[in-house]
Amino acid sequence: MTALTLELKNAHACFGGAQRFYEHASREIGLPMKFSVYLPPKALMGEKVPALLYLAGLTCTEETFMIKAGAQRLAAELGMALIAPDTSPRGANVAGESDAWDFGVGAGFYLDATREPWAKHWRMESYLMSELLPLVCDKLPIDATRIGIFGHSMGGHGALTLALRHPGVFKSVSAFAPISNPVNCPWGQKAFTGYLGDDTAAWAAHDASALMGTQKQAPYPAGILIDQGMADKFLMEKQLLPEAFETACANVGQPLTLRHQPGYDHGYYFIQTFIEDHLKHHAEQLK
C-alpha cells in the first residue's frame, strides 16, 4: 500500500448502500490505519453526498460505531455517508501502548502528541484533518463542502475540539457524553500530561470549554447538540463536565441544546436511542 492507496478489507450490502472497511498506510501516523465508511444508495449511483465523521471513545475501533449504533438505516434515507476512523495508532511497539484504559499511554485523544515516546505516531489530529478527510473525499463520492462531525466520550471531546480548532471545515457538530472540560478532569489531566507535558496552555488548546471561551462570536450559529445520560457513572465521577461547556457557550452566544437523558448510561444503548436525532440535526445543517 502507498499513502494514497485504499485497501478494501470488507464490504457488505446494507440498506441499499454499502458498509465498507478500509486500511491504508498513513504518512501522518507512520503506521497502517483502518477506517470504515457507510455509503448510502445515492453515493453508489455516483452522486456526491454529505458525510458525518464519527469519532469513537476509549477502547473502540473503526468497527464499533458501525456495528453498535444502528445509524445506517437512517443514513441511507437521508443520503448521508458515515466515516468512522480507528481511535488510535496500533502496533507502534511503544511501552504501555496496549493499556488503552490508561489515558496518555495508548488512547489517541484526537490530538498530536509532542512528548516522547508518543510524538512520532500519536498524531490523530493531523491524521484526521490533513490525511483521512482529504483522502476519502478524493477517493469516494463524498462532498468535501458538506462534512459534519460528532463523537462519543473521548470522541465527543475530539468532535468538539476539532470543530473549534478547524473553522470552516465542518458545517455541523454534535456529541454524546463528551469529555467537555478535560483540563479539569482526571482523564484529561492524565492524557494531556502524557502527550503534551506540563504546559497547561497547550492543554487549553485541546479543551472544548476553553476553546469555546475564546470565540468572538458563535462558531456554529445553527446550534450544537449534546446528549448526556444522567445515569452515566463518568458524569457522576466528574470526568465529563458538560456544565463547563454549557457555560462557555452561553458566554459567547453559541446556541447549544444540552439534553439530560434520565436513566441512560455511557454505552451504545444510549447512542442507539438518540442517534436518529443526531443524524437529523446534521442533515438539516448539511443541506
Side-chain angles (χ1 to χ4, degrees):
M1 292 182 293
T2 67
L4 297 179
T5 299
L6 296 182
E7 180 181 344
L8 181 63
K9 306 296 285 188
N10 283 293
H12 312 273
C14 186
F15 294 103
Q19 179 61 60
R20 298 179 181 175
F21 295 90
Y22 290 98
E23 183 173 348
H24 73 114
S26 169
R27 65 172 185 268
E28 292 290 347
I29 301 295
L31 297 165
M33 290 294 289
K34 295 179 179 180
F35 66 94
S36 59
V37 176
Y38 176 71
L39 293 174
K42 284 183 178 181
L44 298 188
M45 292 185 288
E47 181 178 337
K48 284 205 167 189
V49 297
L52 291 183
L53 177 64
Y54 176 83
L55 304 182
L58 191 63
T59 75
C60 295
T61 72
E62 75 285 352
E63 294 183 313
T64 309
F65 175 78
M66 298 302 186
I67 292 172
K68 291 186 175 183
Q72 290 94 333
R73 177 192 59 79
L74 184 57
E77 293 177 12
L78 295 172
M80 176 183 294
L82 304 170
I83 306 163
D86 198 354
T87 61
S88 312
R90 311 277 177 183
N93 297 318
V94 173
E97 172 189 345
S98 63
D99 188 8
W101 276 109
D102 186 1
F103 276 122
V105 284
F109 225 70
Y110 302 106
L111 50 72
D112 288 357
T114 58
R115 188 180 183 189
E116 298 300 336
W118 311 105
K120 181 178 179 180
H121 298 296
W122 270 254
R123 297 176 47 79
M124 288 301 294
E125 180 173 10
S126 289
Y127 169 67
L128 294 172
M129 304 307 301
S130 300
E131 187 171 8
L132 182 63
L133 280 178
L135 184 61
V136 296
C137 291
D138 178 59
K139 301 293 186 181
L140 300 173
I142 289 172
D143 184 350
T145 68
R146 292 188 292 162
I147 305 290
I149 189 170
F150 68 145
H152 169 232
S153 191
M154 179 182 76
H157 144 79
L160 295 174
T161 57
L162 295 181
L164 293 170
R165 285 172 57 82
H166 299 273
V169 175
F170 302 105
K171 305 302 182 187
S172 56
V173 59
S174 73
F176 294 93
I179 303 172
S180 299
N181 188 204
V183 301
N184 287 317
C185 77
W187 278 350
Q189 291 164 355
K190 191 163 193 176
F192 288 158
T193 300
Y195 288 139
L196 304 174
D198 297 326
D199 181 1
T200 55
W203 296 10
H206 297 280
D207 181 293
S209 298
L211 286 166
M212 184 61 75
T214 68
Q215 304 298 307
K216 303 302 182 186
Q217 58 187 12
Y220 291 89
I224 295 172
L225 172 63
I226 293 177
D227 275 304
Q228 175 61 62
M230 298 311 289
D232 186 329
K233 68 177 182 178
F234 301 121
L235 176 71
M236 301 173 197
E237 292 172 2
K238 304 298 183 182
Q239 297 283 16
L240 306 178
L241 304 176
E243 63 277 8
F245 189 70
E246 183 177 34
T247 297
C249 286
N251 288 341
V252 301
Q254 168 61 52
L256 172 68
T257 301
L258 173 58
R259 306 194 304 188
H260 301 91
Q261 305 292 3
Y264 287 90
D265 61 21
H266 198 70
Y268 269 81
Y269 296 113
F270 161 59
I271 293 174
Q272 288 176 20
T273 303
F274 301 106
I275 190 67
E276 180 173 346
D277 293 344
H278 283 252
L279 265 60
K280 288 181 175 178
H281 164 84
H282 288 277
E284 181 64 28
Q285 296 185 33
L286 296 176
K287 287 180 178 178

